[in-house]
Amino acid sequence: NTGIAVTQVNIENAQAPAEVQDAFDDVIRAKEDEVRARNQAEAYANGVIPEARGRAQRMLEEANGYRDEVVARAEGEARRFDLLLEQYVVAPEVLRERMYIEAMQNVLSNTSKVIAIIDSGFQLDHPDLKQNLWTNPGEIPGNGQDDDKNGYIDDVHGWNTGYNIGDIPTEDHGTRVFGVAAARGNNGIGVTGVAWYAKVLVVAKTKTANLTATSYAIKSYGYVIDVRKQADKTNGIKGAPVVVTNSSYGIDEADCALYPIWEELYDEMGALGILSVVATTNKLVNVDVVGDVPSACESPYVISVTNLGPTGALASAGYGTKHIDLGAPGEGIGTTLPGGTYGTMSGTSGAAPQVAAAIALMHQVAPQCFKDYYAAQPAAAALYLKKVLLASVTTGNGISSLNVSG
């Protein structure tokens, strides 16, 4: 017993010795950091783990759904094959034709390439034509404005060169030409054109007193040139990617040397990659001798077409080993007529649009290497396509000495 009694101890203001104060503070901060880190880790785990589990569950469900879809599709294809096999045994020719039509539809229905037909007028709402009618992607119908700034007001489906308006008159000849080239196929009505799903831009060279043949050519082909240039400039957002024109008209026994502007227009279109299919005269004459505009023109981008009868022999139409490139069927060809009706067409006017449509088809089925070539060098690619076309004709029937390709 020391005789000392402790009655009260107050350490509220006590401080660690100065020499250990820093170490003491570090320990406290370390413990606080540890608690904070633990809390953060727990919060992260509570948030991330359920999210990860949910994501994993969704991935599993998607994988199972994809598996079920693939299996169902495979089972469906197997059933379809079994059904086709049964149909083939019963009617092989019918099945082959149907499968060909389905394949044509799949290959040809997705195309941006356009045929430009220059003619008298067209029935735009014909039930077998309206689906294949080109529509200007940059124009608002009927508002009286040049919405796409191409210099033409309300050119929704093409242009009327006689009156400088977008309204297209209904005429017999142009409606027939349109139908031969591109009446809608596999739709259960009417007739089928050569290019079932090609888009057709129409140019109506409406007759007016103040327009000469060359004036029509300048305005008609000039419109085609303008919309093609616009398509090239905007990568197809505006304008029309025209690859071929059809002209089932002309001036009989005329000298192309007296119509140099026509040649210049064909060359200008050719530089853009546009081939120009033209019908020759319906007179049985040698156009190399008597002349014809435009089928005796010298532009390499022109393809001149004569008329062949049912046997493949020359009908009553122009010929010439220098200027007439090939012949196409042109007698009694089924086509569209105004009033939503149907009939036939004969003459070089019905032969030429089949060739124009064939060129559109060649673009549609061309391999990617040609499409790349055409994009890079459109003029050279167009001439190559013409060369391929002429090399693929059926020769003989007494016309080998009457045209370029035989």
Side-chain angles (χ1 to χ4, degrees), residues 60-82:
L60 181 61
E61 291 173 355
E62 290 173 358
N64 289 335
Y66 178 74
R67 179 200 61 198
D68 294 342
E69 179 185 348
V70 171
V71 170
R73 189 162 57 241
E75 290 175 345
E77 288 297 321
R79 286 192 295 269
R80 179 174 177 272
F81 180 79
D82 289 340

Side-chain angles (χ1 to χ4, degrees), residues 269-285:
M269 287 189 289
L272 297 172
I274 302 172
L275 292 171
S276 295
V277 175
V278 302
T280 192
T281 178
N282 283 304
K283 298 179 180 178
L284 188 62
V285 294

Side-chain angles (χ1 to χ4, degrees), residues 131-186:
Q131 283 184 284
N132 286 353
L133 183 64
W134 171 79
T135 298
N136 189 337
E139 200 69 24
I140 300 172
N143 69 350
Q145 303 293 322
D146 180 15
D147 301 291
D148 61 356
K149 309 301 181 186
N150 68 350
Y152 302 88
I153 296 174
D154 287 339
D155 59 324
V156 178
H157 301 298
W159 195 242
N160 183 331
T161 61
Y163 294 97
N164 290 321
I165 57 176
D167 293 337
I168 305 297
T170 296
E171 295 288 348
D172 183 89
H173 191 270
T175 303
R176 292 176 190 253
V177 171
F178 190 154
V180 172
R184 188 75 171 190
N186 199 28

Side-chain angles (χ1 to χ4, degrees), residues 6 9 41 46 55 64 72 89 93 106 136 166 171 193-194 205-206 219 300 324 366 389:
V6 178
V9 177
N46 291 336
R55 188 181 300 116
N64 289 335
V89 172
E93 292 299 327
N106 291 334
N136 189 337
E171 295 288 348
V194 174
K205 55 182 191 67
T206 309
K219 298 181 73 171
I324 302 304
L389 174 71

Side-chain angles (χ1 to χ4, degrees), residues 255-274:
D255 186 355
C256 281
L258 301 178
Y259 297 84
I261 293 176
W262 293 56
E263 297 274 16
E264 294 172 11
L265 289 165
Y266 293 133
D267 286 343
E268 186 173 354
M269 287 189 289
L272 297 172
I274 302 172

Side-chain angles (χ1 to χ4, degrees), residues 50 64 99 119 140 159 162 220 265 292 332 345 369:
N64 289 335
M99 293 184 70
D119 217 288
I140 300 172
W159 195 242
S220 299
L265 289 165
D292 186 74
M345 187 175 201
C369 59

Side-chain angles (χ1 to χ4, degrees), residues 185-226:
N186 199 28
N187 60 354
I189 61 171
V191 297
T192 298
V194 174
W196 300 359
Y197 300 103
K199 294 299 180 183
V200 174
L201 175 154
V202 294
V203 180
K205 55 182 191 67
T206 309
K207 292 181 178 179
T208 55
N210 63 333
L211 283 181
T212 64
T214 296
S215 298
Y216 279 124
I218 293 171
K219 298 181 73 171
S220 299
Y221 294 133
Y223 176 74
V224 173
I225 290 168
D226 288 342

